[in-house]
């Protein structure tokens, strides 16, 4: 029976990145899971901190040509409500960056990760599914769908919302749903996007255009489920015209590409993010609507934390309480991000006038208050940095008064 330091269950973006990061540290890693049945047509906007980590892993040089930078993010109120907000523009230059991050197509990104997996001598990739787990001994036994059994000191669940690893560990989840579905697609356009992402806030949710290389962009369009069904029925020309109208023709003529995909929106939070020899990353631990480019960025912070926690191979078995320590280190970040995305999404859906007024007032404040806008941008890019900047500023003011 083959033994590994770490077995990672789930070979999507989160699982593949985890496997590469740990294998590069010298751990013997098994990456377990079948390839996706269909190509993932979505894109992922990774922020500056995440891009820095891709560079650390040696992945950025091959990935960068696929991407488009996000030099600015523009929020426009597309509602017809009594309380409407002014346009808000966030520019990376305001916080000393060339770009907030980069938008990456998921499918070719996975291809790059697979290439790097094959080049790592300490990483073994198996496309068999994990069928059963035995957590009762000094190591975890994993029965595979091809009849083999492997063992590992630690098991990382990166196997999505219906995580078999989470279930085997007996970790409960809190789930919730929204009366929304997200349509995702890519499209070409007549006018250049100038590396600006535009997010229209509508009564049914955000309508978000994110740049791709050239005169192309990706779209995440959140609608009511019935409206999403009707949108998917549109012929390509009619869909292109509908998107152009929704975007107020700011990018000129629109031409959609391929077949749109649709996903119901819901949320999930594990009650624990680690337990004993089990650790959860990505959507096995947390999932929420595609708002504010938080999903994979949060997952990459999971990965950064676990790699730092596990460290390099020490010649002995990895500790049996690693999952419990990981849970403590990830809790504050995951809980705060999940709550903030949920609050923003529900504020768009609410018909309660005081809620609409508060949301509009908040965007008015962001539009007019540069320092506050800067703090918010720093926090979005590097979580925890806004609080640190506030503390440093407070110390500086106290120091001046004492001098």
């Amino acid at each position: 029976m083959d033994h590994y330091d770490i077995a990672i269950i789930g070979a999507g973006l989160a699982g593949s990145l985890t496997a590469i990061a740990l294998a590069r540290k010298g751990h013997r890693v098994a990456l377990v899971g079948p390839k996706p049945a269909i190509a993932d047509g979505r894109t992922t906007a990774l922020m500056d901190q995440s891009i820095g980590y891709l560079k650390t892993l040696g992945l950025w040089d091959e990935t960068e040509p696929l991407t488009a930078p996000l030099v600015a993010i523009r929020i426009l109120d597309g509602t017809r409500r009594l309380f409407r907000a002014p346009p808000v523009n966030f520019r990376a230059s305001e916080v000393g960056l060339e770009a907030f991050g980069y938008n990456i197509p998921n499918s070719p990104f996975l291809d790059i990760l697979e290439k790097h997996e094959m080049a790592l001598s300490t990483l073994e990739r198996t496309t068999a599914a994990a069928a059963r787990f035995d957590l009762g001994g000094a190591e975890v036994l994993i029965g595979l769908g091809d009849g083999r059994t492997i063992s590992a000191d630690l098991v990382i669940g990166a196997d999505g919302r219906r995580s078999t690893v989470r279930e085997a560990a007996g970790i409960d989840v809190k789930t919730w749903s929204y009366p929304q579905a997200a349509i995702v697609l890519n499209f070409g356009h007549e006018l250049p996007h100038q590396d600006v992402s535009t997010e229209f806030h509508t009564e049914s949710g955000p309508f978000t255009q994110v740049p791709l290389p050239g005169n192309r962009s990706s779209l995440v369009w959140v609608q009511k489920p019935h409206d999403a069904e009707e949108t998917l029925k549109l012929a390509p020309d009619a869909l292109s015209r509908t998107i152009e109208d929704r975007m107020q023709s700011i990018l000129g003529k629109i031409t959609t590409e391929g077949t749109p995909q649709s996903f119901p929106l819901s949320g999930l939070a594990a009650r624990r993010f680690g337990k004993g020899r089990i650790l959860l990353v990505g959507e096995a631990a947390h999932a929420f609507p595609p708002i504010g480019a938080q999903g994979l960025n949060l997952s990459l912070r999971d990965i950064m934390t676990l790699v730092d926690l596990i460290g390099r191979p020490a010649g002995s078995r990895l500790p049996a309480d690693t999952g419990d320590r990981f849970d403590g280190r990830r809790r504050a970040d995951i809980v705060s991000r999940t709550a903030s995305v949920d609050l923003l999404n529900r504020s768009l859906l609410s018909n309660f006038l005081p809620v609409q007024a508060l949301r509009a007032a908040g965007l008015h404040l962001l539009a007019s208050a540069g320092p506050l806008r800067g703090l918010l941008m720093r926090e979005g890019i590097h979580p925890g940095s806004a609080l640190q900047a506030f503390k440093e500023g407070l110390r500086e003011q106290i120091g001046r008064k004492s001098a």
Side-chain angles (χ1 to χ4, degrees), residues 288 294 298 301 332-341 379-380 383-384:
F288 40 70
Q294 293 300 312
L298 186 61
R301 294 201 295 278
D333 184 22
I334 293 172
V335 170
S336 64
R337 292 289 151 165
T338 302
S340 61
V341 170
E379 184 62 23

Side-chain angles (χ1 to χ4, degrees), residues 90-145:
F90 301 93
R91 296 199 167 274
S93 58
E94 292 184 72
V95 288
L97 295 174
E98 292 183 0
F100 289 119
Y102 292 78
N103 193 32
I104 306 173
N106 288 1
S107 187
F109 187 29
L110 267 172
D111 291 340
I112 290 172
L113 298 183
E114 184 176 352
K115 175 183 173 183
H116 281 259
E117 291 162 13
M118 294 174 63
L120 289 165
S121 61
T122 58
L123 195 163
E124 182 177 320
R125 174 76 171 92
T126 176
T127 57
R132 60 191 181 281
F133 301 89
D134 183 352
L135 309 179
E139 58 190 21
V140 181
L141 301 180
I142 305 159
L144 303 180

Side-chain angles (χ1 to χ4, degrees), residues 5-6 18 22 25 27 154-156 279 303-314 318-319 322-323 325-326 329:
D5 298 326
I6 303 150
T18 305
L22 289 169
K25 286 289 185 180
H27 292 284
L154 302 177
V155 174
I156 296 171
L279 301 85
I303 297 167
M304 293 178 213
T305 300
L306 73 84
V307 170
D308 179 63
L309 181 65
I310 294 171
R312 292 188 176 275
L318 294 170
T322 303
R325 291 185 288 130
F326 178 75
R329 289 181 60 169

Side-chain angles (χ1 to χ4, degrees), residues 13-14 17 42-50 70 73 75 90 100-103 161 178 197 199 206 208 210 220 268 281-283 285-304 330 332-345 375-385:
L13 289 176
L17 286 163
R42 294 172 295 179
T43 65
T44 298
L46 290 183
M47 296 295 103
D48 182 68
Q49 181 185 40
S50 299
L70 307 178
I73 299 171
I75 296 177
F90 301 93
F100 289 119
Y102 292 78
N103 193 32
R161 295 175 184 241
Y178 301 95
S197 173
E199 182 170 304
T208 307
V210 189
V220 179
L268 174 151
V281 301
E283 291 197 341
H286 46 76
F288 40 70
I291 295 173
Q294 293 300 312
L296 189 60
N297 290 284
L298 186 61
S299 300
L300 274 163
R301 294 201 295 278
D302 294 340
I303 297 167
M304 293 178 213
R330 290 300 298 139
D333 184 22
I334 293 172
V335 170
S336 64
R337 292 289 151 165
T338 302
S340 61
V341 170
D342 180 64
L343 179 63
L344 176 58
N345 192 40
L375 280 175
L376 183 67
M377 286 188 285
R378 290 187 182 92
E379 184 62 23
I381 299 165
H382 294 280
S385 62

